[in-house]
Amino acid sequence: MRERLSICCFLLFCFLLQGQTSVVTGIDFIGNKKTKTSALLKVIHTNVGSEFNEAEVAQDKKRLIRLPAIADAQYKIEKHEGGYNIFFTIVENFTLIPGANVYTTDEDEFAFRVSLFEFNLLGKNITTGGWYQRDVFDSFGASFRAPFLFSTKLGLSFNYSNLTTQEPVFLNNGTAEYKYNNTSYELLGLYQFNFFNRVEVGANYFNEDYLYLNGATDSNVPTDFNVDKLLYKFIYEYNNLTYNFQYVSGFKSLLNFQYVKSTEGVLPSFIIGWNDFFYYRRVNRKGNWASRLRMGLATNDDSPFAPFAVDNNINVRGVGNTIDRGTGVIVLNTEYRHTLYEKDWFILQSNAFIDAGSWRNPKGDFSDFSDPDNFRIYPGLGLRFIHKKIFNATFRIDYGYGVSKDATNGFVFGIGQYF
């Protein structure tokens, strides 16, 4: 009896000892000069006192690299009698980022947008900032985004925008120019289910004001109207991307679904949704193949103000500034990026691309997608000037040359990769 009891006690002791040695006893961060340790602990899912799981630690490394504040992260595990200590060594980004985008309007006038954003406010992974745009008229906006404001999974986002532009409106008998103003207030709740999946849910209250300036007219299209609208938004993202400075690999899907109604009921409600599919693949040591497929549909109203635009800065490089609109869209952007030169913080990257897409005409049908008049195919070349230690510090220059019907060509400048 005593012998059996001794064996049971020994086995129980071994079990408890094994359980103790599989516990995380310490988590330390090295290299975070600006980012608060408490903020980094909110991001990772490994906790002191939890069961040690190296696969989870490896995912925590990826979580850290996804932060705008972090350029790179590595980890080291030290085992001792009481359990495991985990050390994350991180390289921080410079996160107070000015931005500039230069382009031309429909009338070939000079237009630009400048911005200043802090992507790590108070060292807590909060993004806030504002922008100013001159595109014939003055526009401005501001935003606040804190994905870990309440917990590891729950956050909040607020956006304000007062956007005024000169917009082409395509009528049956020609093109009109309207002064368009959109003033909006948006509040979104942010929730991360796990490493791969997250959602944003919220509402946007905005006012739209169209004022006729010049060009063609239509008795069925008002020259001036002003309406308040309420937009309900749902965003779902699946993200399995891996980042290594300028190189990206993996797959991401981003769904954006919106329901819009006018508050006075003067205009019919409508639905719009689109999904972006991203695929990135490393090619040998210095190459990166990147692709984006966008598929979208909206309520098929016969309206000159259709929501999907054909535009240089959105989907087809070289095509021009808002040259057409539609109620459906299929666009494929694919490009090969190759690192030409890399030393210390600087990277020079070349780019060869093909942008191709088609649109459904307002009140049209799905056969519009195969209509040659709606096709746009633009191959081109570009350069990227990249700073490795400043978040999103990629200055791009692309030149697109159309090979489809009624093609154009031109340069497109911007900050950040095109997609």
Side-chain angles (χ1 to χ4, degrees):
M1 186 68 179
R2 290 181 179 178
E3 184 178 350
R4 289 181 181 179
L5 183 60
S6 299
I7 294 174
C8 289
C9 290
F10 176 76
L11 292 175
L12 179 61
F13 173 77
C14 292
F15 176 78
L16 292 174
L17 183 62
Q18 183 180 9
Q20 287 177 349
T21 56
S22 65
V23 170
V24 176
T25 55
I27 301 175
D28 291 304
F29 294 91
I30 303 168
N32 55 316
K33 298 178 181 178
K34 179 179 179 179
T35 312
K36 305 293 185 185
T37 297
S38 58
L40 296 175
L41 288 170
K42 259 190 173 183
V43 174
I44 65 174
H45 287 201
T46 302
N47 300 306
V48 173
S50 64
E51 183 179 352
F52 173 75
N53 184 334
E54 187 167 359
E56 188 68 68
V57 175
Q59 283 201 341
D60 284 336
K61 167 191 167 181
K62 293 182 179 181
R63 288 187 177 95
L64 293 170
I65 294 176
R66 285 182 181 179
L67 296 174
I70 307 302
D72 191 35
Q74 301 296 329
Y75 68 87
K76 182 176 70 172
I77 298 169
E78 289 187 357
K79 183 179 180 181
H80 56 88
E81 284 189 6
Y84 294 84
N85 287 333
I86 302 168
F87 299 88
F88 290 99
T89 301
I90 64 176
V91 178
E92 288 187 311
N93 275 321
F94 182 76
T95 54
L96 181 61
I97 310 300
N101 194 10
V102 178
Y103 55 100
T104 57
T105 69
D106 294 322
E107 306 297 328
D108 292 327
E109 294 185 26
F110 178 74
F112 66 91
R113 174 183 284 214
V114 292
S115 63
L116 183 65
F117 278 85
E118 169 58 64
F119 291 88
N120 192 19
L121 182 68
L122 304 176
K124 295 183 178 181
N125 297 304
I126 296 172
T127 298
T128 188
W131 55 268
Y132 168 78
Q133 176 176 293
R134 178 66 184 180
D135 186 344
V136 182
F137 305 102
D138 297 321
S139 304
F140 54 91
S143 64
F144 173 88
R145 184 180 181 88
F148 310 103
L149 182 62
F150 304 114
S151 70
T152 302
K153 296 186 175 184
L154 186 61
L156 194 69
S157 173
F158 173 77
N159 300 288
Y160 167 77
S161 174
N162 190 321
L163 178 66
T164 306
T165 58
Q166 182 172 317
E167 292 287 331
V169 176
F170 304 100
L171 308 176
N172 292 330
N173 58 342
T175 301
E177 295 290 336
Y178 276 72
K179 178 183 179 181
Y180 171 71
N181 174 262
N182 183 311
T183 304
S184 69
Y185 305 84
E186 180 178 80
L187 183 65
L188 298 173
L190 317 176
Y191 187 78
Q192 298 186 23
F193 292 99
N194 49 43
F195 178 72
F196 301 103
N197 301 279
R198 70 174 186 89
V199 295
E200 301 182 14
V201 181
N204 183 316
Y205 178 81
F206 64 102
N207 172 270
E208 283 190 316
D209 185 8
Y210 282 90
L211 177 64
Y212 171 80
L213 296 175
N214 56 66
T217 59
D218 189 319
S219 58
N220 295 318
V221 179
T223 57
D224 181 13
F225 70 92
N226 184 302
V227 62
D228 294 324
K229 294 183 178 180
L230 188 60
L231 180 155
Y232 298 98
K233 178 181 287 188
F234 172 81
I235 296 174
Y236 165 69
E237 180 187 76
Y238 171 84
N239 188 338
N240 191 18
L241 298 182
T242 300
Y243 298 88
N244 183 15
F245 292 104
Q246 73 269 32
Y247 301 111
V248 188
S249 59
F251 173 78
K252 182 172 82 169
S253 173
L254 184 63
L255 170 68
N256 194 315
F257 182 82
Q258 302 174 8
Y259 171 72
V260 184
K261 68 175 184 177
S262 59
T263 56
E264 296 90 359
V266 296
L267 291 176
S269 301
F270 74 92
I271 295 171
I272 178 173
W274 66 92
N275 205 119
D276 288 335
F277 302 94
F278 301 87
Y279 178 74
Y280 301 87
R281 182 176 179 179
R282 290 289 300 270
V283 180
N284 298 323
R285 190 168 62 90
K286 294 186 177 182
N288 210 163
W289 177 39
S291 296
R292 175 182 67 178
L293 174 64
R294 170 170 289 189
M295 304 176 70
L297 288 174
T299 301
N300 198 18
D301 293 329
D302 186 11
S303 169
F305 310 108
F308 293 113
V310 188
D311 189 279
N312 260 329
N313 298 299
I314 301 174
N315 40 43
V316 180
R317 285 163 280 192
V319 74
N321 185 34
T322 315
I323 67 163
D324 204 356
R325 294 180 181 275
T327 58
V329 61
I330 300 175
V331 174
L332 175 65
N333 308 102
T334 187
E335 63 185 32
Y336 172 72
R337 307 167 184 170
H338 189 84
T339 300
L340 299 175
Y341 177 81
E342 180 174 2
K343 187 173 182 180
D344 298 328
W345 57 267
F346 178 72
I347 300 166
L348 177 63
Q349 191 180 67
S350 64
N351 179 46
F353 66 86
I354 297 176
D355 294 343
S358 186
W359 282 258
R360 181 179 69 178
N361 298 322
K363 208 62 178 180
D365 54 41
F366 290 111
S367 63
D368 289 348
F369 287 120
S370 59
D371 187 338
D373 290 335
N374 296 328
F375 260 107
R376 304 289 191 279
I377 303 176
Y378 279 69
L381 298 172
L383 287 174
R384 306 289 186 266
F385 303 89
I386 304 172
H387 194 301
K388 292 176 68 173
K389 300 297 179 63
I390 300 178
F391 174 67
N392 204 36
T394 299
F395 177 71
R396 56 178 163 83
I397 305 174
D398 289 318
Y399 181 80
Y401 188 90
V403 296
S404 50
K405 188 176 180 180
D406 300 325
T408 59
N409 55 79
F411 285 97
V412 181
F413 304 88
I415 302 296
Q417 294 284 8
Y418 197 63
F419 59 90

PDB file of all heavy atoms in Angstrom, residues 39-52:
ATOM      1  N   ALA A  39       1.761  48.969 -23.874  1.00  0.00           N
ATOM      2  CA  ALA A  39       1.044  48.941 -25.148  1.00  0.00           C
ATOM      3  C   ALA A  39       1.394  47.699 -25.952  1.00  0.00           C
ATOM      4  O   ALA A  39       0.535  47.108 -26.617  1.00  0.00           O
ATOM      5  CB  ALA A  39       1.359  50.199 -25.955  1.00  0.00           C
ATOM      6  N   LEU A  40       2.649  47.280 -25.894  1.00  0.00           N
ATOM      7  CA  LEU A  40       3.059  46.068 -26.608  1.00  0.00           C
ATOM      8  C   LEU A  40       2.461  44.822 -25.968  1.00  0.00           C
ATOM      9  O   LEU A  40       2.092  43.862 -26.668  1.00  0.00           O
ATOM     10  CB  LEU A  40       4.583  45.978 -26.638  1.00  0.00           C
ATOM     11  CG  LEU A  40       5.297  47.093 -27.418  1.00  0.00           C
ATOM     12  CD1 LEU A  40       6.805  46.963 -27.268  1.00  0.00           C
ATOM     13  CD2 LEU A  40       4.901  47.061 -28.887  1.00  0.00           C
ATOM     14  N   LEU A  41       2.358  44.816 -24.646  1.00  0.00           N
ATOM     15  CA  LEU A  41       1.729  43.680 -23.961  1.00  0.00           C
ATOM     16  C   LEU A  41       0.252  43.550 -24.331  1.00  0.00           C
ATOM     17  O   LEU A  41      -0.299  42.452 -24.312  1.00  0.00           O
ATOM     18  CB  LEU A  41       1.881  43.838 -22.446  1.00  0.00           C
ATOM     19  CG  LEU A  41       3.294  43.615 -21.881  1.00  0.00           C
ATOM     20  CD1 LEU A  41       3.362  44.030 -20.421  1.00  0.00           C
ATOM     21  CD2 LEU A  41       3.715  42.153 -22.038  1.00  0.00           C
ATOM     22  N   LYS A  42      -0.390  44.681 -24.688  1.00  0.00           N
ATOM     23  CA  LYS A  42      -1.783  44.637 -25.123  1.00  0.00           C
ATOM     24  C   LYS A  42      -1.936  43.968 -26.486  1.00  0.00           C
ATOM     25  O   LYS A  42      -2.979  43.404 -26.800  1.00  0.00           O
ATOM     26  CB  LYS A  42      -2.349  46.061 -25.214  1.00  0.00           C
ATOM     27  CG  LYS A  42      -3.210  46.478 -24.044  1.00  0.00           C
ATOM     28  CD  LYS A  42      -3.909  47.787 -24.355  1.00  0.00           C
ATOM     29  CE  LYS A  42      -4.900  48.134 -23.250  1.00  0.00           C
ATOM     30  NZ  LYS A  42      -5.641  49.377 -23.576  1.00  0.00           N
ATOM     31  N   VAL A  43      -0.881  44.053 -27.296  1.00  0.00           N
ATOM     32  CA  VAL A  43      -0.948  43.535 -28.666  1.00  0.00           C
ATOM     33  C   VAL A  43      -0.757  42.026 -28.701  1.00  0.00           C
ATOM     34  O   VAL A  43      -1.461  41.311 -29.412  1.00  0.00           O
ATOM     35  CB  VAL A  43       0.111  44.238 -29.545  1.00  0.00           C
ATOM     36  CG1 VAL A  43       0.165  43.610 -30.938  1.00  0.00           C
ATOM     37  CG2 VAL A  43      -0.186  45.726 -29.639  1.00  0.00           C
ATOM     38  N   ILE A  44       0.216  41.532 -27.946  1.00  0.00           N
ATOM     39  CA  ILE A  44       0.515  40.099 -28.004  1.00  0.00           C
ATOM     40  C   ILE A  44      -0.513  39.305 -27.201  1.00  0.00           C
ATOM     41  O   ILE A  44      -1.168  39.834 -26.311  1.00  0.00           O
ATOM     42  CB  ILE A  44       1.938  39.807 -27.504  1.00  0.00           C
ATOM     43  CG1 ILE A  44       2.065  40.155 -26.020  1.00  0.00           C
ATOM     44  CG2 ILE A  44       2.969  40.562 -28.330  1.00  0.00           C
ATOM     45  CD1 ILE A  44       3.402  39.759 -25.414  1.00  0.00           C
ATOM     46  N   HIS A  45      -0.638  38.019 -27.527  1.00  0.00           N
ATOM     47  CA  HIS A  45      -1.603  37.156 -26.855  1.00  0.00           C
ATOM     48  C   HIS A  45      -0.958  36.249 -25.811  1.00  0.00           C
ATOM     49  O   HIS A  45      -1.658  35.570 -25.070  1.00  0.00           O
ATOM     50  CB  HIS A  45      -2.366  36.318 -27.892  1.00  0.00           C
ATOM     51  CG  HIS A  45      -3.359  37.120 -28.668  1.00  0.00           C
ATOM     52  ND1 HIS A  45      -4.423  36.546 -29.332  1.00  0.00           N
ATOM     53  CD2 HIS A  45      -3.467  38.452 -28.896  1.00  0.00           C
ATOM     54  CE1 HIS A  45      -5.132  37.484 -29.929  1.00  0.00           C
ATOM     55  NE2 HIS A  45      -4.559  38.647 -29.690  1.00  0.00           N
ATOM     56  N   THR A  46       0.369  36.206 -25.782  1.00  0.00           N
ATOM     57  CA  THR A  46       1.068  35.450 -24.748  1.00  0.00           C
ATOM     58  C   THR A  46       1.102  36.279 -23.467  1.00  0.00           C
ATOM     59  O   THR A  46       1.429  37.474 -23.503  1.00  0.00           O
ATOM     60  CB  THR A  46       2.500  35.126 -25.197  1.00  0.00           C
ATOM     61  OG1 THR A  46       2.454  34.395 -26.427  1.00  0.00           O
ATOM     62  CG2 THR A  46       3.221  34.300 -24.151  1.00  0.00           C
ATOM     63  N   ASN A  47       0.775  35.671 -22.343  1.00  0.00           N
ATOM     64  CA  ASN A  47       0.737  36.375 -21.065  1.00  0.00           C
ATOM     65  C   ASN A  47       1.592  35.662 -20.027  1.00  0.00           C
ATOM     66  O   ASN A  47       1.768  34.430 -20.085  1.00  0.00           O
ATOM     67  CB  ASN A  47      -0.705  36.463 -20.537  1.00  0.00           C
ATOM     68  CG  ASN A  47      -1.614  37.197 -21.486  1.00  0.00           C
ATOM     69  OD1 ASN A  47      -1.336  38.316 -21.872  1.00  0.00           O
ATOM     70  ND2 ASN A  47      -2.718  36.552 -21.877  1.00  0.00           N
ATOM     71  N   VAL A  48       2.109  36.430 -19.092  1.00  0.00           N
ATOM     72  CA  VAL A  48       2.817  35.826 -17.967  1.00  0.00           C
ATOM     73  C   VAL A  48       1.838  34.987 -17.153  1.00  0.00           C
ATOM     74  O   VAL A  48       0.743  35.439 -16.818  1.00  0.00           O
ATOM     75  CB  VAL A  48       3.450  36.912 -17.070  1.00  0.00           C
ATOM     76  CG1 VAL A  48       4.041  36.293 -15.808  1.00  0.00           C
ATOM     77  CG2 VAL A  48       4.511  37.683 -17.831  1.00  0.00           C
ATOM     78  N   GLY A  49       2.233  33.755 -16.880  1.00  0.00           N
ATOM     79  CA  GLY A  49       1.366  32.837 -16.156  1.00  0.00           C
ATOM     80  C   GLY A  49       0.590  31.896 -17.055  1.00  0.00           C
ATOM     81  O   GLY A  49       0.007  30.920 -16.581  1.00  0.00           O
ATOM     82  N   SER A  50       0.566  32.181 -18.369  1.00  0.00           N
ATOM     83  CA  SER A  50      -0.144  31.304 -19.305  1.00  0.00           C
ATOM     84  C   SER A  50       0.752  30.136 -19.709  1.00  0.00           C
ATOM     85  O   SER A  50       1.973  30.154 -19.501  1.00  0.00           O
ATOM     86  CB  SER A  50      -0.574  32.082 -20.546  1.00  0.00           C
ATOM     87  OG  SER A  50       0.559  32.541 -21.266  1.00  0.00           O
ATOM     88  N   GLU A  51       0.171  29.135 -20.284  1.00  0.00           N
ATOM     89  CA  GLU A  51       0.937  27.983 -20.749  1.00  0.00           C
ATOM     90  C   GLU A  51       1.813  28.376 -21.929  1.00  0.00           C
ATOM     91  O   GLU A  51       1.368  29.076 -22.839  1.00  0.00           O
ATOM     92  CB  GLU A  51      -0.010  26.849 -21.148  1.00  0.00           C
ATOM     93  CG  GLU A  51       0.712  25.578 -21.570  1.00  0.00           C
ATOM     94  CD  GLU A  51      -0.250  24.457 -21.929  1.00  0.00           C
ATOM     95  OE1 GLU A  51      -1.469  24.642 -21.700  1.00  0.00           O
ATOM     96  OE2 GLU A  51       0.198  23.421 -22.436  1.00  0.00           O
ATOM     97  N   PHE A  52       3.042  27.958 -21.922  1.00  0.00           N
ATOM     98  CA  PHE A  52       3.975  28.301 -22.993  1.00  0.00           C
ATOM     99  C   PHE A  52       3.578  27.611 -24.291  1.00  0.00           C
ATOM    100  O   PHE A  52       3.324  26.405 -24.321  1.00  0.00           O
ATOM    101  CB  PHE A  52       5.402  27.913 -22.613  1.00  0.00           C
ATOM    102  CG  PHE A  52       6.389  28.093 -23.733  1.00  0.00           C
ATOM    103  CD1 PHE A  52       6.808  29.360 -24.087  1.00  0.00           C
ATOM    104  CD2 PHE A  52       6.868  26.991 -24.427  1.00  0.00           C
ATOM    105  CE1 PHE A  52       7.711  29.532 -25.128  1.00  0.00           C
ATOM    106  CE2 PHE A  52       7.774  27.149 -25.462  1.00  0.00           C
ATOM    107  CZ  PHE A  52       8.193  28.430 -25.824  1.00  0.00           C
TER     108      PHE A  52
END
